[in-house]
DNA sequence: GCCAACGTTGGC
DNA sequence: GCCAACGTTGGC
């Protein structure tokens, strides 16, 4: 299976790319996804070695902050089993988990953060899921889009 | 803070 | 199974 590309959204106040860089082994589990389409990607399609764009949503200038890779493929999101947890879901149980997560490891910051407003100006990205007003927190990215984003980040502005 | 987009819930 | 109401996301 060829390596695939994904975009993961996080609110930087919640868990930023810097937080990930400073985490033990620069790795965290990506918990809390409670959307079925995103769950399906996490459970079925995201594999070890896949590449990840780390996107900061919210704030005055939402942007892609850095690059990460998948270091563990989909497994049950245990935070759904904990009544006191933010994303507790009584429908999900260890015997029949509803929600899944993956582990990601930070690789590097982009040479500069790429704001959403700039991504909208790149012709190669016009069909990117992120730019279609998508609320999905886990989105597929094509190889062409990945290349265009890295190229854009290397270009000074 | 507003509001559009969109997913989920629940009555019928 | 339809669809209105409601809640959430997230850009602006």
């Amino acid at each position: 299976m060829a390596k695939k590309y994904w975009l993961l959204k996080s609110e930087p106040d919640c868990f930023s790319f810097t937080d990930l860089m400073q985490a033990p082994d620069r790795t965290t589990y990506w918990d809390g996804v409670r959307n079925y389409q995103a769950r399906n990607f996490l459970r079925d399609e995201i594999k070890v070695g896949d590449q990840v764009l780390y996107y900061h949503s919210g704030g005055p200038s939402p942007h892609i902050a850095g690059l990460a890779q998948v270091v563990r493929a989909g497994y049950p999101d245990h935070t759904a089993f904990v009544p006191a947890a933010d994303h507790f879901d009584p429908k999900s149980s260890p015997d029949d988990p509803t929600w899944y997560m993956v582990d990601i490891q930070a690789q590097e910051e982009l040479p500069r953060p790429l704001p959403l407003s700039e991504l909208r100006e790149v012709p190669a990205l016009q069909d990117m899921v992120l730019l279609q007003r998508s609320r999905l927190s886990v989105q597929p990215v094509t190889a062409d889009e990945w290349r265009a984003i890295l190229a854009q980040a290397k270009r000074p502005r």
Side-chain angles (χ1 to χ4, degrees):
Chain A
M1 183 72 81
K3 183 161 68 177
K4 285 184 282 198
Y5 303 93
W6 306 94
L7 180 142
L8 299 186
K9 286 184 193 171
S10 179
E11 299 210 18
D13 288 348
C14 179
F15 197 83
S16 70
F17 187 72
T18 303
D19 293 332
L20 182 60
M21 289 289 271
Q22 293 171 354
D25 204 26
R26 288 182 290 133
T27 299
T28 192
Y29 54 82
W30 196 262
D31 67 310
V33 172
R34 298 292 180 264
N35 167 285
Y36 286 99
Q37 202 180 345
R39 185 279 310 269
N40 292 345
F41 288 136
L42 293 170
R43 186 188 59 186
D44 304 331
E45 300 207 36
I46 302 184
K47 301 302 178 191
V48 171
D50 285 0
Q51 297 290 114
V52 170
L53 298 169
Y54 198 109
Y55 179 78
H56 285 167
S57 64
S61 178
H63 57 275
I64 299 171
L67 307 180
Q69 64 177 340
V70 177
V71 292
R72 182 174 175 186
Y75 62 107
D77 180 345
H78 55 76
T79 67
F81 311 143
V82 181
D86 282 349
H87 300 286
F88 172 63
D89 182 354
K91 293 193 303 297
S92 188
S93 71
D95 287 342
D96 185 17
T98 305
W99 305 114
Y100 283 73
M101 59 189 183
V102 300
D103 289 357
I104 61 168
Q105 179 180 47
Q107 292 181 302
E108 58 190 349
E109 287 191 353
L110 287 183
R112 62 193 179 88
L114 279 183
L116 184 62
S117 56
E118 183 176 341
L119 298 176
R120 292 192 189 284
E121 297 170 9
V122 180
L125 300 180
Q126 62 179 5
D127 294 329
M128 193 177 176
V129 177
L130 181 69
L131 304 187
Q132 314 309 314
R133 293 202 191 92
S134 175
R135 291 165 43 187
L136 258 188
S137 61
V138 177
Q139 303 180 354
V141 173
T142 69
D144 285 345
E145 289 162 354
W146 177 272
R147 281 191 290 272
I149 285 162
L150 292 200
Q152 188 70 21
K154 286 173 186 157
R155 186 174 305 162
R157 143 74 45 182

